[in-house]
Amino acid sequence: MRKLIIAGNWKMNKDAAQTLEFCNALSEVADKLHDTDVIVIAAPAYPFLHIAQTALKNSGIALSAQDVSAQTDGAYTGEVSATMLRSLNLGYCIVGHSERRQYHGETDALIRLKVLRLLDCGIKPILCVGETLEQRKSGATETVLATQLDGCLQDVPLTTGDELVIAYEPVWAIGTGRTATSEQAQSAHAFVRQHLAGLFGEAVANRIYILYGGSMKPENIAELIAQNDIDGGLIGGASLKIGDFSAMISSAIAKMNSR
Ligand code: PGA
């Protein structure tokens, strides 16, 4: 049975002091996670992973990086390898975010290498996929999702499905205040799961978490996570304020307690 994941993607926000302050507040919120089936993940900027890790020690809150190099090591100025992330004992790492695809020209083939590097190091990739508004309007959503999943996951070895998290993030909903309706999101998630079943078999696909991302906030989270194939959220803007993030964690706990 899948749990729920509430992941905060802080993007290029929060400096050292702000990261520390937020993580201290978050570790207090973590008390309510005891004996629940809710996993909380925070993804601060690279330089502050260690600060966050120290502040969240023993809180049960997991940490994620926001990206990783497709290379293993060597002369790649500015890059951070999966082995380096492993040396911090990181649990997760976001890859293929639409902002990286858009501003850094990341392709599915490159993202696939990142997925492989992470899996080699025992770090769970949070692989982002999603269509643009134009693609949705032209009826290409499922073709786009299938192409991204095929390109990023081709011949990727999965054993149970627990090693991978997918985030369905419609590009038109990211940071726009415009959220997919719960029907739109559920339909995309069901398609993603069905496609994963084609790639890895049904048993593995049923264990892969599929998060929704795109203007998720306290006001709409309950409706979204009520859907069968939505296993939580990858949250940007609304994860930056402790009050909103904490409210979303509470919604996830309420949903799991009502099962
Ligand atoms: P948003 O970002 O919640 O601000 O829309 C989500 C994401 O990009 O992961």
Side-chain angles (χ1 to χ4, degrees), residues 6 49-50 65 120 209:
I6 300 296
L49 279 169
H50 195 59
D120 270 353
Y209 284 83

Side-chain angles (χ1 to χ4, degrees), residues 9 66 93-101 108 111 115 125-131 145 148-149 152 164-170 174 211 213 234:
N9 174 13
Q66 297 178 15
C93 179
I94 299 168
V95 283
H97 192 281
S98 66
E99 286 150 15
R100 297 219 52 95
R101 292 176 188 259
D108 291 333
I111 296 161
V115 168
I126 302 177
L127 168 64
C128 303
V129 293
E131 81 287 359
L145 293 176
Q148 291 176 339
L149 290 169
C152 297
L164 178 69
V165 178
I166 303 284
Y168 166 64
E169 300 208 309
I174 297 177
L211 312 183
L234 180 58

